[in-house]
């Protein structure tokens, strides 16, 4: 039976399932993640690691953790781990696909609507006593119904966002590595070259993983190509956006606003200029944060660990070690 290190308290029955399978569980205490040193020390003593998106597991940590057989990330993204390096060292890396697309799409939509209709700015103003009368000119936003939405990355989450957009009778452009003719026909999507999507969209929602190719995908040139009335929504990874370029685009009014669930770094330091723009909505990486979805994500991570510590292959691998370490 194995020793499982979990980097934070998680919802649902994950811990219960691990202990029921006979494993000992070490739960990192408190709300903050372990420091890199504490993480390295814990991994060195573990058979399995249960991590979150803010636990950066380096190849050096894996090399030093001789008994570690799996890093089960409680996320669909896994840019906090190097799966190829882990595979070379015989360590499985797993993620949680298929369970958070709808929840994340709901949040992308919430952010889009909040930014379009000044939900956060007007709430803030109301609490501060700013609601003096019904104002014909107060908090004028932009219409979502009938507008053009540009979706960058048409994976599970991008598709779920597109499905919601059909209810708003939007024109939906998308740009993705692969074209999806069946979805084009089903949802009325239009494939667009990236420059056309940038120039033609009223809202742009990002749904790409963070890879060397997508890092800084939205930079100064891309913001300059957008409509000055357009709003950027990011629920993917902060690194997909060149944040300095975004700040400059907001300052120079090259775009009208942004709604960000992810930033660089996370948490976003309180002195970030992003906080000074009333037309920017910022949430703390909570797009998958419904109780049901986070519970299911945690349970999937536990299932992957139970499979590997039982001597088998995980259910949701993102790498394939040729010589997996044995229990
Ligand atoms: C993911 O799953 O990659 C999210 O960013 C965390 O829910």
């Amino acid at each position: 039976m194995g020793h499982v290190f979990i980097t934070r308290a998680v919802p649902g029955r994950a811990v219960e399932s691990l202990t029921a399978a006979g494993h000992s569980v070490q739960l990192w205490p408190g709300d903050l993640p372990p420091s890199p040193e504490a993480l390295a020390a814990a991994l060195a003593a573990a058979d399995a690691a249960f991590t979150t998106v803010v636990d950066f597991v380096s190849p050096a940590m894996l090399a030093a953790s001789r008994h570690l057989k799996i890093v089960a990330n409680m996320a669909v993204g896994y840019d906090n781990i190097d799966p190829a390096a882990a595979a070379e060292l015989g360590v499985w890396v797993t993620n949680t696909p298929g369970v958070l697309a709808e929840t994340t799409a709901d949040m992308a939509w919430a952010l889009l609507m909040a930014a379009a209709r000044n939900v956060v700015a007007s709430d803030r103003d109301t609490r501060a006593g700013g609601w003096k009368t019904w104002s014909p000119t107060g908090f004028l936003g932009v219409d979502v119904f009938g507008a053009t939405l540009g979706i960058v990355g048409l994976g599970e989450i991008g598709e779920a966002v597109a499905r919601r957009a059909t209810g708003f009778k939007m024109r939906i452009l998308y740009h993705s590595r692969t074209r999806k003719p069946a979805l084009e026909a089903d949802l009325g999507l239009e494939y667009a070259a990236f420059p056309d999507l940038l120039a033609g969209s009223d809202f742009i929602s990002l749904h790409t993983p963070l890879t060397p190719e997508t890092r800084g995908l939205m930079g100064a040139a891309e913001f300059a190509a957008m409509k000055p009335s357009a709003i950027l929504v990011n629920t993917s990874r902060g690194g997909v956006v060149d944040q300095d370029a975004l700040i400059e685009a907001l300052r120079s009014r090259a775009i009208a606003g942004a709604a960000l669930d992810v930033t660089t770094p996370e948490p976003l330091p309180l002195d970030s200029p992003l906080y000074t723009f009333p037309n920017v909505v910022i949430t703390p990486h909570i797009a998958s944060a419904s109780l049901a979805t986070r519970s299911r994500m945690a349970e999937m991570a536990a299932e992957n660990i139970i499979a590997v510590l039982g001597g088998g292959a995980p259910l949701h691998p993102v790498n394939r070690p040729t010589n997996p370490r044995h229990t």
Side-chain angles (χ1 to χ4, degrees):
M1 293 298 109
H3 175 66
V4 181
F5 176 63
I6 308 188
T7 61
R8 223 83 55 71
V10 291
R13 297 162 45 87
V15 173
E16 217 175 304
S17 329
L18 287 163
T19 46
H23 304 300
S24 66
V25 171
Q26 180 194 354
L27 206 56
W28 181 254
D31 290 336
L32 295 178
S35 65
E37 295 73 25
L39 180 61
L43 296 192
D47 295 296
F50 180 130
T51 53
T52 74
V53 289
V54 293
D55 303 310
F56 290 88
V57 178
S58 68
M61 286 182 196
L62 295 176
S65 310
R66 307 182 71 83
H67 305 288
L68 192 73
K69 291 153 197 75
I70 173 171
V71 179
N73 214 31
M74 183 188 147
V76 71
Y78 45 89
D79 47 281
N80 53 315
I81 311 161
D82 179 340
E88 271 181 36
L89 291 160
V91 180
W92 291 100
V93 177
T94 60
N95 71 343
T96 60
V99 291
L100 52 83
E102 300 298 343
T103 306
T104 302
D106 282 351
M107 184 67 183
W109 212 259
L111 287 171
L112 187 154
M113 297 291 286
R117 298 300 305 276
N118 296 306
V119 173
V120 177
S122 61
D123 175 89
R124 222 179 267 138
D125 183 73
T126 302
R127 288 167 198 266
W131 188 2
K132 306 288 187 217
T133 178
W134 182 88
S135 162
T137 55
F139 295 109
L140 300 180
V142 290
D143 286 319
V144 175
F145 189 88
T148 299
L149 172 65
I151 296 178
V152 181
L154 197 67
E156 284 181 336
I157 301 172
E159 177 186 335
V161 168
R163 287 192 187 280
R164 285 157 177 72
T166 61
F168 286 78
K169 300 275 184 275
M170 297 179 97
R171 179 179 180 209
I172 309 167
L173 309 178
Y174 80 99
H175 183 78
S176 207
R177 268 180 312 187
T178 40
R179 260 186 95 148
K180 309 259 173 88
L183 281 181
E184 288 178 26
D186 184 20
L187 302 178
L189 311 186
E190 296 170 47
Y191 181 82
F194 194 42
D196 295 338
L197 180 145
L198 292 172
S201 301
D202 299 305
F203 300 92
I204 293 182
S205 194
L206 304 177
H207 300 288
T208 61
L210 179 62
T211 64
E213 293 74 41
T214 62
R215 187 175 288 283
L217 180 74
M218 294 298 298
E222 287 69 30
F223 291 122
M226 285 170 64
K227 294 184 185 184
S229 55
I231 289 172
L232 176 77
V233 179
N234 190 7
T235 52
S236 62
R237 285 292 182 268
V240 176
V241 172
D242 173 342
Q243 204 161 275
D244 291 338
L246 171 62
I247 290 166
E248 190 41 45
L250 290 161
R251 248 186 212 132
S252 63
R253 297 180 194 273
I255 68 170
L260 311 169
D261 187 50
V262 286
T263 58
T264 308
E266 292 180 10
L268 186 67
L270 280 174
D271 61 356
S272 168
L274 280 174
Y275 290 115
T276 63
F277 299 106
N279 49 343
V280 172
V281 177
I282 303 169
T283 51
H285 203 146
I286 55 169
S288 65
S290 74
L291 176 61
T293 294
R294 287 274 173 93
S295 301
R296 186 65 200 116
M297 289 162 69
E299 283 152 14
M300 283 171 82
E303 285 159 14
N304 283 314
I305 290 173
I306 291 167
V308 169
L309 295 189
L315 285 74
H316 307 102
V318 298
N319 70 351
R320 199 155 288 280
T322 35
N323 289 310
R325 294 176 179 173
H326 290 295
T327 44

